[in-house]
Amino acid sequence: MLETEHFPLFVSVLCQGADRANSAVDLDGFPLDRPALSEHFVFESGEFDPEQIAARVRQPDLIVQVEDRFVGASLDPEEWH
């Protein structure tokens, strides 16, 4: 999956879904009265280069971070809010 052309878009859509889960309104525009949710999507792989994956996922609308052997991605608030 990491090698597919659509992988960066897939990660962006997952980030958008996580952001939407914490939206202050529902799909009809009504306010939600609940605490924020923590959304995490985990992909496991045997051997991989975190910097290579981060370079592959980077897009103008995402913030991508590498720590240890983990790559994190989230929506860039400057682009999305």
Side-chain angles (χ1 to χ4, degrees):
M1 187 166 137
L2 298 174
E3 301 300 323
T4 63
E5 182 179 327
H6 65 273
F7 183 67
L9 176 62
F10 180 65
V11 172
S12 180
V13 169
L14 288 176
C15 290
Q16 292 171 46
D19 184 67
R20 176 52 103 178
N22 283 311
S23 179
V25 296
D26 66 15
L27 294 175
D28 295 320
F30 296 107
L32 295 174
D33 185 24
R34 62 166 172 70
L37 302 170
S38 180
E39 298 280 335
H40 301 276
F41 301 96
V42 177
F43 298 95
E44 274 192 53
S45 178
E47 293 297 320
F48 73 99
D49 178 355
E51 292 295 338
Q52 183 181 29
I53 298 300
R56 206 149 137 50
V57 170
R58 277 196 182 92
Q59 298 180 66
D61 65 338
L62 296 179
I63 296 172
V64 179
Q65 300 172 319
V66 176
E67 293 185 30
D68 280 332
R69 301 216 15 97
F70 296 95
V71 179
S74 59
L75 295 181
D76 183 342
E78 304 235 346
E79 296 288 328
W80 280 94
H81 296 282

